[in-house]
Amino acid sequence: MPVPGSALSDAYTRLTTAFPALAITELGAGEQLPREGGWVAADSLAEGGAGLDAFLEWDDAQVVRDYGQRARPDVVASFALHRYAWPACLLITVPWFLDRRVPRFPVTGVSYDRTVPELPVGRMAVRPHSFACLPGDPAAALPGARVVADEEALRDEVREAVAEHLQPVLSGFGPRMRRRGRALWGMATDEVVEGLWYVAHLLGEQERAMRELELLLPGATRPYVGSAAFRELTGPDGESLPTRDRASCCMFYTLRPEDTCATCPRTCDADRIVKLVATAAS
């Protein structure tokens, strides 16, 4: 559960209320990160050893169970990175989006468990290192607060906080995925954008999220690759269908070539419209 009165508690409560597939527990200063049972600490993934091996075994088994076939090892690793990075980015982007507070999470401050059946995305235990906020924020008086000058400085904090957390994780996953540098950071860019875009839709703030993400990732913001890349298509009845162009491919096409994502670089606009209309109808 969020810690009452913490700088992040309101944002995490709103997140998990709108998106109950994910649970977040804030740890106190004296509490240890869980590492037993289904829990895996982020620093264990970054090390690229036995902890990562066990993490990948879960995805390997899930692919066989859901699709009746084995995926290539690099595809399994790509799926596994997505399943970790998507909620991990929300730990940073949601407090920024909702409350203009940007926490820092070194890999020693996050554990993840995706083995609880009633939590399809999983649960995360977190211990923030510090957080940035704007002048005038009441949270500026809390321990660990750092006041930055303005909105652009806060966006810098978001980019730096995500990179600080993901860089070691990407280093651990990279050899298993057979990807390096730009390809890995393309995936990171997509996780930042698509995670917040999805949650903002649940909160009824999708359009604001698109504007905020375009400012956050306008392009040429290394190490990220490309921009938020939103654009608009027109449906068969003249309706607006927001979409974006992913900077990377999740490799799902290797299992189901006919069933690519609506934002996949391999999906043409005509097919995107069909997929987006079907999603809206459901």
Side-chain angles (χ1 to χ4, degrees):
M1 297 291 292
V3 174
S6 84
L8 310 177
S9 60
D10 288 347
Y12 289 161
T13 295
R14 289 186 64 187
L15 167 59
T16 56
T17 299
F19 186 53
L22 174 66
I24 299 171
T25 298
E26 291 182 75
L27 301 175
E31 294 182 88
Q32 297 297 312
L33 284 176
R35 295 176 180 265
E36 303 297 330
W39 290 97
V40 59
D43 58 356
S44 179
L45 298 178
E47 289 168 2
L52 181 56
D53 289 338
F55 196 73
L56 298 180
E57 287 172 5
W58 193 95
D59 286 275
D60 188 39
Q62 180 268 326
V63 169
V64 173
R65 182 178 64 250
D66 289 356
Y67 304 109
Q69 65 185 95
R70 287 205 175 277
R72 298 189 327 235
D74 60 307
V75 174
V76 169
S78 295
F79 289 178
L81 175 62
H82 163 68
R83 291 192 175 107
Y84 175 76
W86 194 90
C89 288
L90 293 176
L91 296 174
I92 297 165
T93 59
V94 168
W96 163 68
F97 181 68
L98 293 178
D99 293 329
R100 288 303 191 256
R101 297 168 187 170
V102 181
R104 290 293 182 106
F105 291 105
V107 289
T108 53
V110 177
S111 279
Y112 178 49
D113 177 15
R114 53 182 176 170
T115 64
V116 181
E118 59 269 27
L119 296 171
V121 173
R123 54 181 177 166
M124 307 194 92
V126 301
R127 183 188 300 108
H129 179 264
S130 62
F131 70 95
C133 62
L134 293 171
D137 187 333
L142 294 174
R146 292 182 299 105
V147 178
V148 299
D150 52 27
E151 292 280 2
E152 181 54 33
L154 202 63
R155 285 190 285 270
D156 282 338
E157 290 286 335
V158 176
R159 293 186 283 260
E160 291 172 9
V162 172
E164 177 188 36
H165 184 78
L166 285 188
Q167 174 68 75
V169 176
L170 296 179
S171 295
F173 274 90
R176 312 298 186 94
M177 296 167 58
R178 299 192 298 183
R179 299 192 196 187
R180 293 183 296 177
R182 182 177 177 83
L184 291 171
W185 283 104
M187 289 190 69
T189 302
D190 290 330
E191 305 301 354
V192 170
V193 176
E194 297 199 352
L196 183 60
W197 189 27
Y198 178 79
V199 169
H201 172 73
L202 299 178
L203 293 167
E205 297 197 63
Q206 185 180 38
E207 291 186 5
R208 182 169 79 87
M210 293 167 69
R211 294 193 300 270
E212 297 277 7
L213 286 163
E214 286 171 338
L215 292 171
L216 179 69
L217 295 170
T221 48
R222 292 188 174 185
Y224 303 96
V225 174
S227 66
F230 289 112
R231 58 192 181 92
E232 186 176 292
L233 298 174
T234 301
D237 296 323
E239 69 272 38
S240 172
L241 298 172
T243 188
R244 67 176 298 264
D245 296 311
R246 288 178 57 91
S248 68
C249 179
C250 71
M251 309 296 283
F252 184 68
Y253 78 93
T254 62
L255 295 175
R256 293 289 186 272
E258 73 286 353
D259 193 21
T260 55
C261 306
T263 56
C264 178
R266 296 170 173 269
T267 305
C268 68
D269 282 357
D271 289 343
R272 287 185 186 217
I273 290 171
V274 172
K275 292 174 184 289
L276 290 169
V277 169
T279 299
S282 62

